[in-house]
Amino acid sequence: MKEKKKDRDQIDDAEKKGNKEKVRELQKKKKDQIRAARKKVEITSEVIEKLNDHRQLYDKARQPLLEGLTSNYDLELFLAAQARASEVMEEELKKYPPNGQIRVIEFGRYELDTWYSSPYPEEYARLAKLYICEFCLKYMKSKTILKRHAAKCVWQHPPGDEIYRHMAISVFEVDGQKKQNILPKFVLTGKTVSGS
């Protein structure tokens, strides 16, 4: 970590002095170091045997072994990003009471407090906050997953036909025979938020 900071400081100093050649030289040196650190790892039969033993012993109770599958540089980057994401999620969960029930739903730009619990799958029901796509009603665990989904979601409006609009409020009518896959999502979301 200190070495990375030292390299970054050297590049910053060269940029401040306006020495473009020195900056290019330092950047090339850094790229060469990264390429050397990321050289292709050969997966040996010993590594495969160790992975299989770990999988049989712990099944899905633990994170799979990652050593030997990729370079140490890539593994360190992944583990650092994973730790950072875990810290952010823990901070977010501290805001809500730990009773194992969804307390808040983020639906579009609105946050809705829940009144009752709904029978979401266990991995979702344990979350304090659930994120729901405002168009297709797909539910997700985190804001990052929701953002990725929103970029790919093919629906640009709620399902059904718009039957009423007044200023910023629209009402849509959904035909249950045409949209059978959306009705269970309506029921889950409606029960959680309104208690009906």
Side-chain angles (χ1 to χ4, degrees):
M1 198 65 152
K2 288 181 181 179
E3 187 176 308
K4 287 181 185 178
K5 184 166 175 37
K6 181 183 169 191
D7 291 342
R8 185 72 239 163
D9 289 343
Q10 286 179 344
I11 292 171
D12 288 344
D13 289 342
E15 283 177 345
K16 286 177 186 173
K17 293 177 183 174
N19 192 344
K20 291 181 181 179
E21 294 222 5
K22 181 73 172 171
V23 170
R24 282 192 207 107
E25 178 186 323
L26 290 169
Q27 288 175 338
K28 184 180 181 317
K29 179 183 167 190
K30 184 65 181 167
K31 283 181 185 177
D32 291 341
Q33 288 173 347
I34 291 172
R35 282 191 191 109
R38 293 184 76 185
K39 66 182 176 202
K40 189 171 182 174
V41 175
E42 190 174 317
I43 300 173
T44 63
S45 59
E46 183 180 302
V47 169
I48 293 171
E49 186 178 324
K50 188 176 177 182
L51 291 171
N52 287 335
D53 290 345
H54 184 272
R55 191 176 295 134
Q56 286 177 351
L57 185 61
Y58 297 110
D59 192 34
K60 294 182 180 178
R62 287 194 182 175
Q63 177 174 306
L65 287 180
L66 302 173
E67 291 85 11
L69 296 177
T70 186
S71 68
N72 287 338
Y73 179 82
D74 287 336
L75 182 60
E76 287 175 20
L77 280 177
F78 170 74
L79 293 175
Q82 188 180 42
R84 204 170 326 138
S86 177
E87 289 170 5
V88 168
M89 285 182 77
E90 281 183 26
E91 286 298 317
E92 192 170 307
L93 290 176
K94 286 180 184 176
K95 299 176 190 173
Y96 306 105
N99 65 351
Q101 178 182 333
I102 299 169
R103 305 301 295 159
V104 177
I105 289 179
E106 186 171 309
F107 188 78
R109 57 185 173 167
Y110 301 101
E111 275 194 0
L112 308 169
D113 292 329
T114 61
W115 294 359
Y116 301 97
S117 63
S118 282
Y120 283 100
E122 185 180 336
E123 61 186 288
Y124 295 95
R126 292 180 292 160
L127 299 171
K129 188 173 187 180
L130 191 65
Y131 300 85
I132 299 179
C133 175
E134 62 188 316
F135 302 125
C136 69
L137 300 180
K138 180 177 180 186
Y139 44 89
M140 288 150 266
K141 293 181 181 181
S142 71
K143 193 168 191 93
T144 306
I145 296 171
L146 177 63
K147 284 180 182 177
R148 270 193 254 139
H149 167 78
K152 295 186 243 173
C153 187
V154 295
W155 293 15
Q156 297 300 313
H157 58 81
D161 301 319
E162 185 177 26
I163 59 171
Y164 175 78
R165 178 185 293 212
H166 178 66
M167 295 166 55
I169 298 174
S170 293
V171 176
F172 287 81
E173 178 182 44
V174 179
D175 185 346
Q177 289 183 331
K178 289 181 184 175
K179 303 282 186 185
Q180 290 179 351
N181 62 339
I182 201 80
L183 289 178
K185 295 176 185 178
F186 272 127
V187 172
L188 283 174
T189 306
K191 184 176 185 297
T192 303
V193 177
S194 67
S196 45

